[in-house]
Amino acid sequence: MDIKQLRETVDNLFSKRTQFMLLCQEIAENFYPQRADFTLRRDIGDEFAENLMTSFPVLTHRDLTDQIGVMLRPTQKEWFHMAPTDPDREDNAAKRWLEMAGDVQRRVMYDPRAQFTRATKEGDGDFSAFGQCVISARMNKYADGLLYRCWHIRDVVWMETEEGDIGLIARKWKPHARELRRLFGDKNDRKVGELADKQPFDEVECYHIIVEADMYNGDARGKPYWSLYYDIRHEHLIEAVPVWNKEYAIPRWQTVSGSQYAYSPATIVALPDARMIQAMYYTLLEAGEKAVTPPVLATENVVRSDVNLYAGGITWVDADYDERLGDALRPLTQDVRGIPLGIDMMRDSRALIQQAFFLNKLRPFNPAQDPEMTAYQAGQIVQDWIRQAIPLFEPMEMGYNGSLCELTFDLLLRNGAFGSPYDMPASLSDADISFRFESPLHDAIEQQKGQKFLEAKALLAEAMALDTTSAALLDVREALRDALDGIGTPAKWVPDKAAVERYARMQQQNADRQQLLDAAEQSSNVAVNLTQAQREAVGA
């Protein structure tokens, strides 16, 4: 394709998703009003939630958004670890190098200039509400660190490849003319320079397009992607550069066949209840107001002023009116028996919304809370919690955290942040690196290794009471190594297998030597005792 064909493809992608934007707008108005600008433009100072009667759906979305960051990216702990995809390559030297690289990556990601926390916080809100978010990671303008940005889903479109991965990515961008000139200089159309001089803050609509190398006409020099900047206003290709990565991480929560866009199982399920709870709250509010300040029935031509029902208010009535004919003012009788039923229905709706947002599943079980519980009972409860939590954490760990960490690792590795590639252990040469993540789900799964080790130890002790040869059934060193990995023991605390084998051989040699010395000493003592006995016998 040339740039004109790519531009037509991107325009077509934006025009085809109008209905999806309407759905996102509806979701945002009910759960995430700060983002409710998919189909309309908000001005600075607009009241976001003016259409809502209760904030409960918004608070529920906020709770899930906060939980994503707290549980999947806790800043107080090392929430990701690197490991080669092939476990046979993970020797002690590889573990030490990967731990070093992980420390470097964490420092870079949490550098305040990188804005990682801001980008992921915004991304968490989009992910929980719309089932996806768009976060870019690239070197900053000084090339001494990274820069993360979260982009509005409204401004980004993408296509899937034949294998279901995201291929083409296009972002609509409206930089000021002054900013465009500062970024690209003479690569811009000459009209941009004139505009920057006369109207520097005039917006110029552009596209940033990432495509696979074979989708654009040009020599990619062996790199897998093209990065294209296109000035829509002046129909000018600003820049076309082959690159090693996509720059954008687009985690998707729940996808459906036939669509490249994902959905949030939380908001899709809770949307009917969110609409209903707004109507119910309005009805209950109106019923409550009528119960406290009921409407008043006034006798015509008797009340001489406005009916003042506020505290201290006076309503004037004709002095000649005969009260025996009935009260000049009297409240209308209200039936308030339906209010408790309405409150119960609203409580049910709140419970359903919380369940739809998985908030009832975000309370991990701690076996230490019940000291009388057996290990088997605790293990079964943990297994049940894992089964319930997997639909929530699994796509977030691999699709969200995984894509961000892999993109970051690739950027840092190619820019020399981990030192010379010659310092990398031979076992990691050309190895695929994967990431493991610390989360309540991962903790529960990994900590089971320690529990399994203790259970195996107890079973082995019982078996050895009947048959001492049962000890050969368990490789204690390998089991202990897995248990230590499961509880997160740093690699530098644990020597590699070769060092352990050398230590074991040394201990065995010392034991054999000591056994020989003991045997020699015993033989010597026997000889001395025998000689002494012979002397005593001769003397007798």
Side-chain angles (χ1 to χ4, degrees):
M1 290 186 182
D2 58 20
I3 189 60
K4 290 185 178 179
Q5 292 172 316
L6 276 178
R7 187 252 171 99
E8 292 174 358
T9 301
V10 173
D11 289 343
N12 189 40
L13 287 173
F14 274 108
S15 63
K16 279 185 174 180
R17 62 171 198 164
T18 303
Q19 197 64 31
F20 179 68
M21 291 295 97
L22 293 174
L23 173 62
C24 290
Q25 179 70 20
E26 181 71 12
I27 290 173
E29 288 178 354
N30 282 276
F31 297 100
Y32 197 11
Q34 302 94 311
R35 273 291 206 211
D37 54 355
F38 286 85
T39 60
L40 55 86
R41 177 178 176 178
R42 288 190 178 276
D43 295 323
I44 298 175
D46 279 355
E47 185 179 348
F48 291 119
E50 60 183 352
N51 62 309
L52 302 180
M53 299 304 300
T54 175
S55 59
F56 184 79
V58 179
L59 293 176
T60 308
H61 166 261
R62 188 184 70 181
D63 288 342
L64 178 59
T65 299
D66 293 340
Q67 289 295 324
I68 292 175
V70 170
M71 302 186 79
L72 294 183
R73 294 185 299 275
T75 55
Q76 72 273 14
K77 65 188 299 186
E78 298 178 357
W79 53 269
F80 67 86
H81 306 280
M82 301 180 192
T85 305
D86 184 359
D88 293 336
R89 291 175 174 259
E90 193 176 13
D91 55 18
N92 194 260
K95 286 184 178 181
R96 290 173 182 266
W97 190 90
L98 291 173
E99 284 187 359
M100 177 277 297
D103 292 339
V104 172
Q105 182 164 328
R106 266 182 289 274
R107 289 197 299 270
V108 172
M109 293 172 73
Y110 283 100
D111 184 337
R113 296 180 303 164
Q115 301 189 46
F116 175 78
T117 302
R118 172 185 173 181
T120 52
K121 185 65 176 179
E122 294 174 1
D124 293 345
D126 288 346
F127 189 85
S128 59
F130 313 112
Q132 58 221 320
C133 63
V134 181
I135 298 178
S136 65
R138 63 185 305 173
M139 301 300 294
N140 62 26
K141 62 181 180 180
Y142 302 109
D144 61 353
L146 296 185
L147 176 64
Y148 296 88
R149 296 285 302 274
C150 179
W151 303 100
H152 203 307
I153 298 174
R154 171 199 61 202
D155 299 326
V156 186
V157 292
W158 55 86
M159 291 176 60
E160 285 187 343
T161 66
E162 64 277 6
E163 296 183 352
D165 298 325
I166 293 178
L168 182 149
I169 303 172
R171 173 172 60 88
K172 191 178 293 183
W173 182 40
K174 295 181 180 179
H176 296 148
R178 173 177 174 271
E179 181 183 0
L180 202 57
R181 182 173 65 177
R182 187 175 70 247
L183 289 173
F184 297 105
D186 295 336
K187 296 180 181 179
N188 289 294
D189 187 272
R190 76 177 168 76
K191 295 180 181 179
V192 173
E194 298 173 359
L195 191 64
D197 292 331
K198 298 178 181 179
Q199 296 175 302
F201 296 105
D202 192 14
E203 293 181 345
V204 180
E205 188 171 3
C206 300
Y207 280 151
H208 180 214
I209 306 172
I210 298 288
V211 293
E212 295 174 296
D214 59 354
M215 286 187 65
Y216 179 70
N217 299 333
D219 182 12
R221 300 190 294 276
K223 296 180 180 179
Y225 302 101
W226 281 95
S227 173
L228 310 170
Y229 284 92
Y230 182 76
D231 183 346
I232 303 173
R233 181 169 173 179
H234 303 104
E235 298 184 349
H236 173 72
L237 177 62
I238 302 173
E239 181 182 78
V241 178
V243 292
W244 286 105
N245 55 63
K246 297 180 182 179
E247 185 174 328
Y248 297 96
I250 306 179
R252 296 180 290 176
W253 190 347
Q254 186 178 73
T255 56
V256 294
S257 59
S259 173
Q260 67 268 46
Y261 302 108
Y263 301 91
S264 167
T267 53
I268 290 296
V269 172
L271 188 56
D273 292 293
R275 293 194 189 102
M276 183 173 63
I277 202 173
Q278 300 295 339
M280 291 170 59
Y281 198 89
Y282 177 77
T283 302
L284 287 174
L285 179 62
E286 187 176 17
E289 289 178 342
K290 288 180 179 178
V292 176
T293 56
V296 175
L297 182 65
T299 303
E300 188 177 7
N301 297 326
V302 175
V303 178
R304 301 179 56 186
S305 67
D306 293 334
V307 178
N308 298 317
L309 301 180
Y310 57 84
I314 298 176
T315 301
W316 298 97
V317 182
D318 193 329
D320 297 332
Y321 179 68
D322 188 351
E323 291 289 343
R324 289 176 297 179
L325 299 176
D327 294 334
L329 289 172
R330 59 183 182 273
L332 290 176
T333 302
Q334 300 292 310
D335 186 358
V336 297
R337 291 176 297 177
I339 293 181
L341 176 61
I343 293 175
D344 290 340
M345 293 176 63
M346 189 164 63
R347 286 173 180 167
D348 290 341
S349 295
R350 287 185 173 185
L352 289 173
I353 292 174
Q354 285 188 321
Q355 186 175 353
F357 275 83
F358 299 93
L359 296 182
N360 60 325
K361 295 180 173 63
L362 292 178
R363 299 178 181 87
F365 171 72
N366 182 9
Q369 295 174 349
D370 188 354
E372 298 182 357
M373 184 173 293
T374 65
Y376 176 78
Q377 290 173 325
Q380 291 301 307
I381 295 177
V382 170
Q383 283 286 347
D384 183 65
W385 184 84
I386 291 172
R387 284 191 294 270
Q388 295 183 26
I390 279 179
L392 177 62
F393 289 111
E394 190 173 33
M396 294 183 186
E397 282 191 348
M398 304 312 300
Y400 196 164
N401 284 357
S403 60
L404 272 179
C405 288
E406 288 173 2
L407 179 57
T408 301
F409 178 80
D410 184 67
L411 283 168
L412 296 179
L413 182 65
R414 296 187 183 281
N415 287 275
F418 303 133
S420 171
Y422 297 105
D423 295 335
M424 184 181 294
S427 57
L428 293 179
S429 178
D430 299 327
D432 292 330
I433 304 300
S434 60
F435 285 83
R436 292 199 322 264
F437 301 101
E438 297 290 340
S439 69
L441 176 63
H442 180 269
D443 291 345
I445 294 173
E446 289 298 320
Q447 288 174 6
Q448 285 186 100
K449 292 181 179 179
Q451 185 66 36
K452 293 295 182 184
F453 179 76
L454 295 178
E455 292 178 8
K457 175 186 172 184
L459 288 173
L460 188 62
E462 295 291 335
M464 288 183 64
L466 302 175
D467 182 2
T468 56
T469 62
S470 301
L473 293 176
L474 181 66
D475 189 343
V476 177
R477 294 176 188 170
E478 195 66 28
L480 180 58
R481 190 178 291 274
D482 284 347
L484 292 174
D485 284 341
I487 63 175
T489 304
K492 60 184 178 181
W493 291 9
V494 182
D496 58 23
K497 293 182 179 180
V500 173
E501 290 295 332
R502 287 195 300 270
Y503 178 76
R505 286 196 300 269
M506 186 184 301
Q507 290 291 98
Q508 186 63 41
Q509 290 171 0
N510 291 338
D512 294 342
R513 190 180 297 112
Q514 185 63 41
Q515 186 176 3
L516 290 174
L517 291 175
D518 291 343
E521 182 179 1
Q522 184 177 4
S523 299
S524 176
N525 291 335
V526 169
V528 170
N529 293 336
L530 182 59
T531 302
Q532 183 66 29
Q534 290 175 348
R535 288 177 180 177
E536 291 178 356
V538 172

